[in-house]
Amino acid sequence: MAREHGVKLCDILLRLGYVEPQHVAEALELQKLRPNARVGEILMDLGYIEEDHLIEALSEEFGIPFERNIVDQIDASLTTKVPLSFIREYHMVPYRQNGQGYCVAVNDPVNLLPLDDLRLLLGGVVEPVLCRKADIEHVIDTYFDQQSENAADMIDDIALEDEEGTIHTLDSNESERDLLDLANEAPIIKLINLLISGAVKERASDIHIEPFEHEVRVRYRIDGVLYEKFNVPRSQQAAVVSRVKIMANMNIAEHRLPQDGRIKIRLSGKEIDIRVSVIPVAFGERVVMRILEKGTFLFSLEELGMDEHDYKLVDKLILSSHGIILVTGPTGSGKSTTLYAALQRVNSPDKNIITVEEPIEYLMPGIGQMQVRPKIGLTFATGLRHIVRQDPDIILVGEIRDHETAEMAVQASLTGHLVFATLHTNDSAGAITRLVNMGIEPFLVTSSTIAIMAQRLIRRICVECKEAYAPERESVIELGVPPDQAANKTVFRGRGCKQCQDRGYLGRTGIFELLAMTPRIQDLALHGTDSNAIKREARKEGMRTLREDGALKVFRGISTIDEVLRVTREDLLELVMD
């Protein structure tokens, strides 16, 4: 039956002109090796068709209409009639009434049996409508938003109950058993779940739970900036922290020492990995949760925000047979994102790629990834020493922290390996000085390193509320524009709207400073020239600084003057000192 369906689908795709006969033959051969995969999915995986082409063909085969836009047709009143668990399990979403019946969005016309259950739940006729998988996911998220409480409302309820004395607070003489019971009370469990789900919906990268004398502040880091969301009653601090510790498999009886842990959850069908850090502070324990969404991360090089010149140069450099390519910047500047994008570009069956990371943030198919475990002696240097015995073509070192790791990376590059690595320096030229300070001889630095790229992340202006305005001349000059060119400039900003939650920004992009190790730069580095002089020479050779790349994005309407100045303060300080 499945085989007959596949052949019929291919015939329709051929007639519609979406595939060629050789494409169909290739897909059918692959299906023999992957018996559980459908031929339409295989054709999409091979890149021969898009989802719309597949749905159009399925629509013809099964006689089910294809609706290209259900997002604007959602009937909120239907959200209470169908359990969310049913919607998530079967990806069948009733989205509007149609006379006495209901239109139901589906993505898999082969399995329509759950429609019978949906007919009973809704008490009417159901009509399936084919639509994109992403649109169904959007509607599921909408259901989730409409059926869930808000964490702030939950906290208000807890505070009210606390005033009435129905929730017990923790006294200093209570036992750890009482603390465990308190952390497992339904309101606290629900509060932490809402706190995490709210952070994921708002695209937060971190959750901060910070105790003070009279309150516990909760903040989300969104697009690199912390926003205060709400306050938890001080009486619930111990229960909240203990609940997080239980989820992260930490010792809830230990309050004096820092602890690290990890939480793995599923939310709206997505796998969420949360790294948890707890440290003791003056008024209790401070918690920071770093949120990582599995499977939604990997960007391509084109999506990072590089200027065309830098992009073409990087695209060429990562094809080198050997040498070190360094990416520098502070924590949270997107270094790992850039390196993963580079690995994606060079990953192929004829390349052996191995990484040593702490931690492995995103699993990449076809690449061997090793996680550092200092407690058992597996450091970056130890891992790197063993990796070179695995016959690699390309090695990624999560971070060069010490002389031993730096020396191993240099030796690996000099013996025919291409090495990608990160280093904590403010700019590209500073990486040369940093390696020398680690004890690497200047001639080894210049002979092994082929390029250094510094980067930062800046927030993008929200496209929904973007507006042009004439900035003050002084702020344009501060951005680095010569005074004689600073007049009559037009730039953009976000007014703030529902889409961006009145922030004026939505999403982030990168600004970059790419230093290629040209003969002149190598000569300066060999003679121990300071980083500022190297940077000045690199600018003469055409390198744009972080601030200059940021200015370019300001005048292209991608970001704002304030945002670029916020992330390039070190660059501005160097300019003043020069």
Side-chain angles (χ1 to χ4, degrees), residues 32-94:
K32 294 176 183 177
L33 302 174
R34 298 164 55 187
N36 293 326
R38 296 177 184 174
V39 69
E41 295 171 351
I42 294 172
L43 286 166
M44 283 178 61
D45 290 343
L46 292 170
Y48 294 142
I49 61 171
E50 297 175 2
E51 186 181 15
D52 279 14
H53 300 153
L54 176 60
I55 297 176
E56 188 178 335
L58 289 170
S59 174
E60 181 176 329
E61 180 181 1
F62 289 91
I64 300 173
F66 175 18
E67 177 58 69
R68 297 177 186 272
N69 181 22
I70 65 167
V71 175
D72 297 329
Q73 303 179 45
I74 300 169
D75 183 351
S77 66
L78 298 179
T79 62
T80 58
K81 294 189 176 183
V82 182
L84 190 59
S85 57
F86 180 94
I87 294 168
R88 283 180 177 159
E89 182 176 356
Y90 297 111
H91 272 63
M92 289 186 172
V93 183

Coordinates of all heavy atoms in Angstrom, one line a residue, residues 32-94:
K32 N 14.3 1.9 -0.5 CA 14.6 0.5 -0.2 C 15.5 0.4 1.0 O 15.4 -0.6 1.8 CB 15.2 -0.2 -1.4 CG 14.3 -0.3 -2.6 CD 15.1 -0.9 -3.8 CE 14.2 -0.9 -5.1 NZ 14.9 -1.4 -6.3
L33 N 16.4 1.4 1.2 CA 17.3 1.4 2.3 C 16.7 2.0 3.5 O 17.2 1.7 4.7 CB 18.6 2.2 2.0 CG 19.4 1.7 0.7 CD1 20.5 2.6 0.4 CD2 19.9 0.3 1.0
R34 N 15.7 2.8 3.3 CA 14.9 3.4 4.4 C 13.5 3.1 4.3 O 12.6 3.9 3.9 CB 15.2 5.0 4.4 CG 16.6 5.4 4.5 CD 16.8 6.8 4.1 NE 16.0 7.8 4.7 CZ 15.9 9.1 4.4 NH1 16.6 9.5 3.4 NH2 15.0 9.9 5.0
P35 N 13.1 1.9 4.6 CA 11.7 1.4 4.4 C 10.6 2.2 5.2 O 9.5 2.2 4.8 CB 11.7 -0.1 4.9 CG 12.9 -0.2 5.8 CD 13.9 0.8 5.2
N36 N 11.0 2.8 6.3 CA 10.0 3.6 7.1 C 9.9 5.0 6.5 O 9.0 5.7 7.0 CB 10.4 3.6 8.5 CG 10.4 2.3 9.2 OD1 9.5 1.5 8.8 ND2 11.3 2.0 10.1
A37 N 10.7 5.4 5.6 CA 10.7 6.8 5.1 C 9.7 6.8 3.9 O 9.7 5.9 3.1 CB 12.1 7.3 4.7
R38 N 9.0 7.9 3.7 CA 8.1 8.1 2.6 C 8.9 8.8 1.4 O 9.8 9.6 1.7 CB 6.9 8.9 3.0 CG 6.1 8.2 4.0 CD 4.9 9.0 4.5 NE 4.1 8.3 5.5 CZ 3.1 8.8 6.2 NH1 2.7 10.1 5.9 NH2 2.5 8.2 7.1
V39 N 8.5 8.4 0.2 CA 9.2 8.9 -0.9 C 9.2 10.4 -1.1 O 10.1 11.1 -1.5 CB 8.7 8.2 -2.2 CG1 7.3 8.7 -2.6 CG2 9.6 8.5 -3.4
G40 N 8.1 11.0 -0.6 CA 8.0 12.5 -0.7 C 9.0 13.1 0.3 O 9.6 14.1 -0.1
E41 N 9.1 12.6 1.5 CA 10.1 13.1 2.4 C 11.5 12.9 1.9 O 12.4 13.8 2.1 CB 10.0 12.3 3.8 CG 8.6 12.6 4.5 CD 8.5 11.6 5.7 OE1 9.3 10.7 5.8 OE2 7.5 11.8 6.4
I42 N 11.8 11.8 1.2 CA 13.1 11.6 0.7 C 13.4 12.6 -0.4 O 14.5 13.2 -0.5 CB 13.3 10.1 0.1 CG1 13.2 9.1 1.3 CG2 14.6 10.0 -0.7 CD1 13.1 7.7 0.8
L43 N 12.5 12.9 -1.3 CA 12.7 13.9 -2.3 C 12.9 15.3 -1.7 O 13.7 16.0 -2.3 CB 11.4 13.9 -3.2 CG 11.3 12.8 -4.2 CD1 9.9 12.7 -4.8 CD2 12.3 12.9 -5.3
M44 N 12.2 15.6 -0.6 CA 12.5 16.8 0.1 C 13.9 16.9 0.7 O 14.6 17.8 0.6 CB 11.5 17.1 1.2 CG 10.1 17.6 0.6 SD 8.9 17.8 2.0 CE 9.7 19.0 3.0
D45 N 14.3 15.7 1.3 CA 15.6 15.6 1.9 C 16.7 15.8 0.9 O 17.8 16.4 1.1 CB 15.8 14.3 2.6 CG 15.0 14.2 3.9 OD1 14.5 15.2 4.4 OD2 14.8 13.1 4.4
L46 N 16.5 15.3 -0.3 CA 17.5 15.4 -1.4 C 17.5 16.8 -2.0 O 18.3 17.1 -2.8 CB 17.2 14.4 -2.5 CG 17.4 12.9 -2.1 CD1 16.8 12.0 -3.2 CD2 18.9 12.6 -1.9
G47 N 16.5 17.6 -1.7 CA 16.4 19.0 -2.2 C 15.8 19.1 -3.6 O 15.9 20.2 -4.2
Y48 N 15.1 18.1 -4.0 CA 14.5 18.1 -5.4 C 13.1 18.8 -5.4 O 12.7 19.4 -6.4 CB 14.3 16.7 -5.9 CG 15.7 16.0 -6.2 CD1 15.8 14.7 -6.0 CD2 16.8 16.7 -6.7 CE1 17.0 14.0 -6.2 CE2 18.0 16.1 -6.9 CZ 18.1 14.8 -6.7 OH 19.3 14.1 -6.9
I49 N 12.4 18.8 -4.2 CA 11.1 19.4 -4.1 C 11.0 20.2 -2.8 O 11.8 20.0 -1.9 CB 9.9 18.5 -4.2 CG1 10.0 17.5 -3.1 CG2 9.9 17.8 -5.6 CD1 8.7 16.6 -2.9
E50 N 10.1 21.2 -2.8 CA 9.8 21.9 -1.6 C 8.5 21.4 -0.9 O 7.8 20.6 -1.6 CB 9.7 23.4 -1.9 CG 10.9 24.0 -2.4 CD 10.7 25.5 -2.8 OE1 9.6 26.0 -2.6 OE2 11.7 26.1 -3.3
E51 N 8.3 21.8 0.3 CA 7.1 21.2 1.0 C 5.8 21.6 0.3 O 4.9 20.7 0.2 CB 7.0 21.8 2.4 CG 5.9 21.1 3.3 CD 5.8 21.6 4.7 OE1 6.4 22.7 5.0 OE2 5.1 21.0 5.5
D52 N 5.7 22.8 -0.3 CA 4.5 23.2 -1.0 C 4.3 22.2 -2.2 O 3.1 21.9 -2.5 CB 4.6 24.6 -1.5 CG 4.3 25.6 -0.4 OD1 4.2 25.2 0.8 OD2 4.1 26.8 -0.7
H53 N 5.3 21.8 -2.9 CA 5.2 20.9 -4.1 C 4.6 19.6 -3.6 O 3.7 19.0 -4.2 CB 6.6 20.7 -4.7 CG 7.2 21.9 -5.2 ND1 8.6 22.1 -5.4 CD2 6.7 23.1 -5.7 CE1 8.8 23.3 -5.9 NE2 7.7 23.9 -6.0
L54 N 5.2 19.1 -2.5 CA 4.7 17.8 -1.9 C 3.2 17.9 -1.5 O 2.4 17.0 -1.9 CB 5.6 17.4 -0.7 CG 5.1 16.1 0.0 CD1 5.2 14.9 -0.9 CD2 6.0 15.9 1.2
I55 N 2.9 19.0 -0.8 CA 1.5 19.1 -0.3 C 0.5 19.2 -1.5 O -0.6 18.7 -1.5 CB 1.3 20.3 0.6 CG1 2.2 20.0 1.9 CG2 -0.1 20.5 1.0 CD1 2.2 21.2 2.9
E56 N 0.9 20.0 -2.5 CA 0.1 20.1 -3.7 C -0.2 18.7 -4.4 O -1.3 18.5 -4.8 CB 0.8 21.0 -4.7 CG -0.1 21.4 -5.9 CD 0.6 22.4 -6.9 OE1 1.5 23.1 -6.4 OE2 0.2 22.4 -8.0
A57 N 0.8 17.9 -4.5 CA 0.7 16.6 -5.1 C -0.2 15.7 -4.2 O -1.0 14.9 -4.6 CB 2.1 15.9 -5.3
L58 N 0.0 15.7 -2.8 CA -0.8 15.0 -1.9 C -2.3 15.4 -2.0 O -3.2 14.6 -1.8 CB -0.3 15.1 -0.5 CG 1.1 14.4 -0.2 CD1 1.6 14.9 1.2 CD2 0.9 12.9 -0.2
S59 N -2.5 16.7 -2.1 CA -3.8 17.2 -2.2 C -4.5 16.6 -3.4 O -5.7 16.2 -3.3 CB -3.8 18.8 -2.4 OG -5.0 19.3 -2.6
E60 N -3.8 16.5 -4.6 CA -4.4 15.9 -5.7 C -4.7 14.4 -5.5 O -5.7 13.9 -5.9 CB -3.5 16.1 -7.0 CG -4.1 15.6 -8.2 CD -3.3 15.9 -9.5 OE1 -2.6 16.9 -9.5 OE2 -3.3 15.1 -10.4
E61 N -3.7 13.7 -4.9 CA -3.8 12.3 -4.7 C -5.0 11.9 -3.8 O -5.7 11.0 -4.1 CB -2.5 11.7 -4.2 CG -2.5 10.2 -4.0 CD -1.2 9.7 -3.4 OE1 -0.3 10.5 -3.1 OE2 -1.2 8.4 -3.2
F62 N -5.1 12.6 -2.7 CA -6.1 12.3 -1.7 C -7.4 13.1 -1.8 O -8.4 12.8 -1.1 CB -5.5 12.4 -0.3 CG -4.5 11.4 0.0 CD1 -3.2 11.6 -0.2 CD2 -4.9 10.1 0.6 CE1 -2.2 10.6 0.1 CE2 -3.9 9.2 0.9 CZ -2.6 9.4 0.6
G63 N -7.5 14.1 -2.7 CA -8.7 14.9 -2.8 C -8.9 15.8 -1.6 O -10.1 16.0 -1.3
I64 N -7.9 16.2 -1.0 CA -8.0 17.1 0.2 C -7.5 18.5 -0.2 O -6.4 18.6 -0.7 CB -7.2 16.5 1.4 CG1 -7.8 15.1 1.8 CG2 -7.3 17.5 2.6 CD1 -6.9 14.4 2.9
P65 N -8.3 19.5 0.1 CA -7.8 20.8 -0.3 C -6.5 21.3 0.4 O -6.3 20.9 1.5 CB -9.0 21.8 0.0 CG -9.8 21.0 1.0 CD -9.6 19.6 0.7
F66 N -5.7 22.1 -0.3 CA -4.4 22.6 0.3 C -4.7 24.1 0.7 O -5.0 24.9 -0.2 CB -3.3 22.5 -0.8 CG -2.0 23.1 -0.4 CD1 -1.7 23.4 1.0 CD2 -1.1 23.4 -1.3 CE1 -0.5 24.0 1.3 CE2 0.2 24.0 -1.0 CZ 0.4 24.3 0.3
E67 N -4.6 24.4 2.0 CA -4.8 25.7 2.5 C -3.4 26.3 2.8 O -2.7 25.8 3.7 CB -5.7 25.7 3.8 CG -5.9 27.1 4.4 CD -6.5 28.1 3.5 OE1 -7.7 27.9 3.1 OE2 -5.8 29.0 3.1
R68 N -3.1 27.4 2.1 CA -1.7 28.0 2.2 C -1.6 28.9 3.4 O -0.5 29.3 3.8 CB -1.3 28.7 0.9 CG -1.2 27.7 -0.2 CD -0.9 28.4 -1.5 NE -0.9 27.5 -2.7 CZ 0.1 26.8 -3.1 NH1 1.3 26.9 -2.4 NH2 0.0 26.0 -4.1
N69 N -2.7 29.3 4.0 CA -2.6 30.3 5.1 C -3.7 30.0 6.1 O -4.8 30.5 5.9 CB -2.7 31.7 4.6 CG -2.5 32.7 5.7 OD1 -2.0 32.4 6.8 ND2 -3.0 33.9 5.5
I70 N -3.4 29.3 7.2 CA -4.4 29.1 8.2 C -4.1 30.0 9.4 O -5.0 30.1 10.3 CB -4.4 27.6 8.7 CG1 -3.1 27.2 9.3 CG2 -4.8 26.7 7.5 CD1 -3.1 25.9 10.1
V71 N -3.0 30.6 9.4 CA -2.5 31.3 10.6 C -3.5 32.4 11.0 O -3.8 32.7 12.1 CB -1.1 31.9 10.4 CG1 -0.7 32.8 11.6 CG2 -0.1 30.7 10.3
D72 N -4.0 33.1 9.9 CA -4.9 34.2 10.2 C -6.4 33.8 10.3 O -7.3 34.7 10.4 CB -4.8 35.2 9.0 CG -3.4 35.9 8.9 OD1 -2.8 36.0 10.0 OD2 -3.0 36.2 7.8
Q73 N -6.7 32.5 10.3 CA -8.0 32.0 10.4 C -8.4 31.3 11.7 O -9.4 30.7 11.8 CB -8.3 31.1 9.2 CG -8.0 31.7 7.8 CD -8.3 30.6 6.7 OE1 -9.3 30.0 6.8 NE2 -7.4 30.6 5.8
I74 N -7.5 31.4 12.7 CA -7.6 30.6 13.9 C -8.8 31.1 14.7 O -8.9 32.3 15.0 CB -6.3 30.6 14.7 CG1 -5.2 30.1 13.9 CG2 -6.5 29.9 16.0 CD1 -3.8 30.3 14.6
D75 N -9.7 30.2 15.1 CA -10.8 30.5 16.0 C -10.5 30.2 17.4 O -10.3 29.0 17.8 CB -12.1 29.7 15.5 CG -13.3 30.1 16.3 OD1 -13.2 30.8 17.3 OD2 -14.4 29.6 16.0
A76 N -10.2 31.2 18.2 CA -9.8 31.0 19.6 C -10.8 30.2 20.4 O -10.4 29.6 21.4 CB -9.5 32.4 20.2
S77 N -12.0 30.3 20.1 CA -13.0 29.5 20.9 C -12.9 28.0 20.8 O -13.4 27.3 21.7 CB -14.5 29.9 20.4 OG -14.7 29.4 19.1
L78 N -12.2 27.5 19.8 CA -12.0 26.1 19.7 C -10.9 25.5 20.6 O -10.8 24.3 20.8 CB -11.6 25.7 18.2 CG -12.6 26.1 17.1 CD1 -12.1 25.7 15.8 CD2 -14.0 25.4 17.4
T79 N -10.1 26.4 21.2 CA -9.0 26.0 22.0 C -9.4 25.2 23.3 O -8.6 24.4 23.8 CB -8.1 27.2 22.4 OG1 -8.9 28.0 23.2 CG2 -7.6 27.9 21.2
T80 N -10.6 25.4 23.7 CA -11.1 24.7 24.9 C -11.8 23.4 24.6 O -12.1 22.7 25.6 CB -12.0 25.6 25.7 OG1 -13.2 26.0 24.9 CG2 -11.3 26.9 26.2
K81 N -12.0 23.1 23.4 CA -12.8 21.9 23.0 C -12.0 20.7 22.8 O -12.5 19.6 22.8 CB -13.6 22.2 21.8 CG -14.7 23.3 22.0 CD -15.6 23.4 20.8 CE -16.8 24.4 21.0 NZ -17.7 24.4 19.9
V82 N -10.7 20.9 22.5 CA -9.8 19.7 22.2 C -8.6 19.7 23.1 O -8.0 20.8 23.3 CB -9.3 19.8 20.7 CG1 -8.5 18.6 20.4 CG2 -10.5 19.9 19.8
P83 N -8.3 18.6 23.8 CA -7.1 18.6 24.7 C -5.9 18.9 23.9 O -5.7 18.4 22.8 CB -7.1 17.1 25.2 CG -8.5 16.6 25.0 CD -9.0 17.3 23.8
L84 N -5.0 19.6 24.6 CA -3.7 20.0 23.9 C -2.9 18.7 23.6 O -2.2 18.7 22.6 CB -3.0 20.9 24.9 CG -1.7 21.6 24.3 CD1 -2.0 22.4 23.1 CD2 -1.1 22.5 25.4
S85 N -3.0 17.7 24.5 CA -2.2 16.5 24.3 C -2.6 15.8 23.0 O -1.8 15.3 22.3 CB -2.5 15.5 25.5 OG -3.9 15.3 25.6
F86 N -3.9 15.9 22.6 CA -4.4 15.3 21.4 C -3.8 16.0 20.2 O -3.3 15.4 19.2 CB -5.9 15.3 21.3 CG -6.5 14.7 20.1 CD1 -6.9 13.4 20.0 CD2 -6.7 15.5 18.9 CE1 -7.5 12.9 18.8 CE2 -7.2 15.0 17.7 CZ -7.6 13.7 17.7
I87 N -3.8 17.3 20.2 CA -3.3 18.2 19.2 C -1.9 17.9 18.9 O -1.4 17.8 17.8 CB -3.6 19.7 19.5 CG1 -5.1 20.0 19.5 CG2 -2.9 20.6 18.5 CD1 -5.4 21.3 20.0
R88 N -1.1 17.8 20.0 CA 0.3 17.6 19.9 C 0.7 16.2 19.3 O 1.6 16.0 18.5 CB 1.0 17.8 21.2 CG 1.2 19.2 21.6 CD 1.9 19.3 23.0 NE 2.1 20.7 23.4 CZ 2.3 21.1 24.6 NH1 2.2 20.2 25.6 NH2 2.5 22.3 24.9
E89 N -0.1 15.2 19.8 CA 0.2 13.8 19.4 C -0.1 13.6 17.9 O 0.7 13.0 17.2 CB -0.6 12.9 20.2 CG -0.3 11.4 19.9 CD -1.0 10.4 20.8 OE1 -1.7 10.9 21.8 OE2 -0.9 9.2 20.6
Y90 N -1.2 14.1 17.4 CA -1.6 13.8 16.0 C -1.4 14.9 15.0 O -1.6 14.7 13.8 CB -3.1 13.4 16.0 CG -3.4 12.1 16.8 CD1 -4.1 12.2 18.0 CD2 -2.9 10.9 16.4 CE1 -4.3 11.1 18.8 CE2 -3.1 9.8 17.2 CZ -3.8 9.8 18.4 OH -4.1 8.7 19.1
H91 N -1.0 16.1 15.5 CA -0.8 17.2 14.6 C -2.1 17.5 13.8 O -2.0 17.7 12.6 CB 0.4 17.0 13.7 CG 1.7 17.5 14.4 ND1 2.2 17.0 15.5 CD2 2.5 18.5 14.0 CE1 3.3 17.6 15.8 NE2 3.5 18.6 15.0
M92 N -3.2 17.4 14.4 CA -4.5 17.7 13.8 C -5.1 18.9 14.6 O -5.4 18.8 15.8 CB -5.4 16.5 13.8 CG -5.0 15.4 12.9 SD -6.2 14.1 12.9 CE -5.6 13.1 11.5
V93 N -5.3 20.0 13.9 CA -5.7 21.2 14.6 C -7.0 21.8 14.0 O -7.0 22.3 12.9 CB -4.6 22.3 14.5 CG1 -5.0 23.5 15.3 CG2 -3.3 21.7 15.0
P94 N -8.1 21.7 14.7 CA -9.3 22.4 14.3 C -9.1 23.9 14.4 O -8.8 24.4 15.5 CB -10.4 22.0 15.2 CG -9.7 21.5 16.4 CD -8.3 21.1 16.0

